[in-house]
Amino acid sequence: MARPGGVGAVIASGDVAPVSAAGADVIVVGAGMGGLVVAHDLARAGRDVVVIDAASEVGGLLRRGTLAGVDIDLGAESFATRTDAVAALVADAGLPLELVAPRPQGAWLAVATDDGVRRARLPRRTVLGIPADPDADDVVAIIGADGAARARDERRVPLTADAEPSLYDLVAERLGERVADRLVDTLCRSVYSRPAADARLSQLHPGMWREVVSRGSLLEAADAIATGQRAGAAVGGIAGGMWRLPAALAEAAEAHGAKIRTGVAVRAVRSDAETFTVETTSGALSARQVVIATGPAGVARLLAGHDVSTRSATGGERSDEPAQTPAGVYLAAAAIAHPGLAAEPIGSGVIVDAALPTAAKALTHITAKWDWARAAAPDGIHLVRLSARDAAAGGLSTPADVAREVSILTGVDVAAADVVDLVVQEWTDAVAGARVPDDLPAGIHVAGAAAAGTGLASVIPHARDLAARLDRALAASLPSSSLHTHPVS
């Protein structure tokens, strides 16, 4: 059977950090990356900051596990390099971390066809799965000649930008269902944990949507934006695992005077005239400002008594926006002793078509993707991660489950006996479509993915901007209402 996931950096636990009689400047609820960035920057500016988290370690969804003696990520294992957010934070905070690029294999796609499973490399020139050239060989390999011919006719379809449809409907209408199903929906479910029918292009990629409106064509917009990099190349990692980032940032924040306490749950946030009282399982604390940096369910719970509404993290306030709710995440990481995986048959990993009858929506071949993992793994052992399609449905908890999924997705006949170690990790409050409160009470702010959207490229700039505005307001004793939280594009 599987072992539960391991732990990251435990700072301290059990007791709330002492604060001055007048209370802290800022209390941060949640020690994920959003909360830690706010705490670090404020503490470095000389502010009195307390961070509280119910978990036993810092990091939020960046978490460490141990597999076959190797420390690996049981949360996000890479970050998007479309901005320099991570690199700039590491350099600015002086964190002792090495940023690394993945090995050059690139990622694959597994789709359902009438002839069974089709495995092919993810096309190079696409944006959210929307191809720049539907006749490119790597696109035709996935959607077929008929699908390419249908997509080619897109320029005959007029674009109406007044009422933006869902991403799925937009692509299916203009490029056909093959592109919508096999490329766009598959990638949306894997990357954003929701179907394309529950998202809009303007939410996921505002720049792409602007190009579509300007050019009147998905194909032309993708052609203008797509880089031609191999699939999976626009990401980076940290030698030894992403879990090292929050661990190092927490240490840096503490060195600047921040007080970080784990294993302490927050029960409620109350407003008391000019200050806030944060009630925890270890007592109450007061502060001039509060930053909530939890998952979306945690944000909703702590704001429940404050009469707020919500809007999308990208700024839209439309009542017809597709429903987006917090979702669970379930991962299984396995060590497999099978020589067939040495050929790296799916490169660094595979994203799975929703039409395939699998429990996994994606597989990452860790030792094929990262040099540091390859060097650390025992001889003949391959480390993989499987992301569950439905966190509540199970199906990835035993060696037999893992062997079945790996066999389907790689084409290598793996047996349960080949799975020599297995670790699982589950979160019940992950983000599957961020919403940020629209009318926050003065003095309460939201950071992290629930406010900024998914990914460190969004979370870090948003948190740094919030920290800077909080510092300026605290210095000038401005009213809290001047500090509305908003996402940074």
Side-chain angles (χ1 to χ4, degrees), residues 47-348:
R47 301 301 169 192
D48 186 357
V49 183
V50 178
V51 182
I52 305 170
D53 198 298
S56 60
E57 70 279 348
V58 301
L61 298 184
L62 298 181
R63 183 166 298 184
R64 177 182 66 178
T66 302
L67 191 64
V70 180
D71 287 339
I72 63 163
D73 288 306
L74 291 180
E77 47 90 40
S78 64
F79 58 89
T81 54
R82 59 183 170 85
T83 74
D84 67 348
V86 174
L89 175 65
V90 169
D92 183 47
L95 305 182
L97 302 171
E98 179 188 359
L99 303 185
V100 296
R103 298 180 67 241
Q105 284 78 351
W108 287 52
L109 195 64
V111 300
T113 72
D114 293 339
D115 300 322
V117 182
R118 178 180 299 174
R119 304 176 192 88
R121 293 184 183 276
L122 274 170
R124 281 178 175 264
R125 301 197 66 239
T126 64
V127 180
L128 295 178
I130 299 168
D133 177 8
D135 292 309
D137 290 344
D138 54 5
V139 176
V140 175
I142 294 170
I143 65 174
D146 291 345
R150 168 64 180 85
R152 201 184 308 127
D153 287 339
E154 187 236 1
R155 293 173 181 85
R156 301 179 185 178
V157 182
L159 176 69
T160 302
D162 294 339
E164 183 189 355
S166 72
L167 176 59
Y168 183 90
D169 289 342
L170 176 69
V171 175
E173 179 184 2
R174 301 191 64 81
L175 303 181
E177 291 184 357
R178 286 274 185 91
V179 175
D181 289 332
R182 295 186 180 181
L183 286 170
V184 175
D185 188 56
T186 300
L187 288 170
C188 193
R189 288 174 184 271
S190 175
V191 176
Y192 298 101
S193 297
R194 52 179 159 143
D198 288 350
R200 287 191 171 91
L201 180 56
S202 62
Q203 296 170 332
L204 303 185
H205 200 313
M208 175 69 172
W209 175 243
R210 288 193 293 269
E211 289 289 341
V212 171
V213 173
S214 173
R215 298 170 184 270
S217 165
L218 287 171
L219 296 178
E220 290 183 11
D223 187 47
I225 292 178
T227 65
Q229 289 181 302
R230 71 181 184 282
V235 300
I238 290 175
M242 288 295 298
W243 63 269
R244 295 178 181 272
L245 177 59
L249 185 60
E251 291 183 6
E254 286 206 313
H256 290 299
K259 306 169 187 71
I260 302 175
R261 292 297 179 268
T262 57
V264 178
V266 172
R267 291 171 170 160
V269 176
R270 286 192 295 106
S271 176
D272 298 313
E274 295 299 316
T275 64
F276 290 90
T277 298
V278 177
E279 299 176 353
T280 80
T281 52
S282 295
L285 292 174
S286 64
R288 296 167 63 188
Q289 306 277 342
V290 174
V291 175
I292 303 174
T294 67
V299 171
R301 178 178 63 82
L302 293 176
L303 292 176
H306 294 277
D307 191 27
V308 299
S309 59
T310 60
R311 61 180 169 83
S312 70
T314 53
E317 298 187 40
R318 296 172 295 201
S319 61
D320 62 335
E321 212 167 77
Q324 301 168 28
T325 57
V329 172
Y330 185 98
L331 297 172
I336 300 175
H338 194 297
L341 294 177
E344 300 173 1
I346 50 165
S348 62

